[in-house]
Amino acid sequence: VFRRTWWLLAVPVFVGLALLFAFIYPYLVAEQHPAPPELTEDVAQFAKRQGTDPVEVSVEKWSDITSVPNAYAIGLGPSRRIFLWDTLLDGRFDDSEVRVVLAHELAHHSRHHIWKGIAWFALLLLPLLGGVAWLTGRRGGLYQPRAVPLALLALVAGGLLLQPLDSAVSRRFEAEADWTALETTRDPAAARALFRGFTREALEDPTPPRWAYQATATHPSIEERIAMATAWERRNSVKRRR
């Protein structure tokens, strides 16, 4: 029915699916259990400082698969949650470093990064599907079987072309979360120790090649994150002297 305009209708459908997945994902994680009470108390205090409602914290089991430490924020509205991998709580990182992680992940919620990420998804999806529609239209339209391989090729190629922009947006969100975590915990030493720990425990390159960084990195480099913590410390030292 919508041979020429299907892509305009597909965008809200895919955005709706993204919203649905973001909302229900916290309920789909199988091996999770409540975080220790002290972490829940920390998040409640951090939520006040960041001007948002408290968020539930859960621990996700990954230690039987990997030793890499990780954490992430997910969920919308009542499903908002912070997940800490149990590899982050096995003693390799002290309490102050874990608090930095909590403040960082809470910042993704308080700064509405999940909503903004879905908005960017919609913005990038529009030209991507529009390009697929234009290319497949030259083969009779997407409903023609012979156009399907071309559509798949266009999706892959378009995704690769848009990847640097998507990565840049993600790095911007992560940098904002890092700064908010520093403003929340006021502990730059713990932040630096945490980032060095990521280099050691996750084998993360502190200074990746520039081309790879621009194309695929979703977080600032470890070197940049440590530099931000130091910059925050110097900035606030000047304020205190004044």
Side-chain angles (χ1 to χ4, degrees):
V1 176
F2 304 102
R3 291 183 178 182
R4 294 184 179 276
T5 59
W6 62 266
W7 59 282
L8 291 172
L9 301 175
V11 171
V13 170
F14 280 111
V15 170
L17 289 173
L19 287 168
L20 176 63
F21 181 76
F23 178 80
I24 67 173
Y25 182 91
Y27 306 118
L28 302 179
V29 177
E31 295 194 60
Q32 61 171 295
H33 56 272
E38 59 270 20
L39 296 184
T40 301
E41 293 174 3
D42 287 339
V43 168
Q45 293 178 0
F46 294 164
K48 292 179 181 178
R49 297 176 191 175
Q50 294 186 19
T52 189
D53 294 329
V55 175
E56 185 175 345
V57 183
S58 296
V59 177
E60 187 175 355
K61 185 178 180 182
W62 278 90
S63 55
D64 55 349
I65 298 175
T66 181
S67 62
V68 173
N70 195 19
Y72 60 95
I74 192 65
L76 299 171
S79 74
R80 296 193 313 164
R81 193 165 302 178
I82 294 171
F83 282 98
L84 304 177
W85 287 14
D86 61 343
T87 51
L88 190 66
L89 305 176
D90 59 7
R92 290 177 293 167
F93 298 90
D94 65 27
D95 293 344
S96 63
E97 293 165 20
V98 174
R99 283 165 57 89
V100 173
V101 174
L102 284 174
H104 172 100
E105 300 304 335
L106 181 64
H108 286 309
H109 286 301
S110 67
R111 300 301 179 262
H112 312 293
H113 289 165
I114 298 171
W115 286 102
K116 292 176 182 178
I118 293 174
W120 272 103
F121 170 70
L123 188 64
L124 296 178
L125 192 62
L126 193 63
L128 181 60
L129 293 185
V132 171
W134 180 78
L135 285 174
T136 55
R138 302 169 69 87
R139 290 291 185 91
L142 186 58
Y143 65 95
Q144 294 285 352
R146 64 180 180 177
V148 173
L150 181 60
L152 295 175
L153 177 62
L155 282 172
V156 173
L160 289 174
L161 289 173
L162 292 172
Q163 181 64 44
L165 177 58
D166 186 51
S167 298
V169 171
S170 177
R171 288 195 300 271
R172 177 65 182 82
F173 290 163
E174 296 297 336
E176 184 180 19
D178 279 345
W179 186 263
T180 304
L182 288 165
E183 292 280 272
T184 302
T185 62
R186 308 190 69 80
D187 193 349
R192 286 192 293 266
L194 173 70
F195 300 142
R196 293 189 182 105
F198 285 161
T199 301
R200 180 182 64 252
E201 302 297 340
L203 302 180
E204 190 170 340
D205 188 350
T207 55
R210 199 64 187 173
W211 66 269
Y213 176 80
Q214 295 292 345
T216 62
T218 58
H219 289 63
S221 70
I222 294 296
E223 184 180 54
E224 290 174 330
R225 301 178 86 175
I226 291 174
M228 178 185 286
T230 301
W232 183 93
E233 185 175 41
R234 290 174 178 170
R235 175 175 179 266
N236 282 272
S237 296
V238 171
K239 282 185 177 180
R240 284 195 294 270
R241 287 198 297 269
R242 288 176 179 174

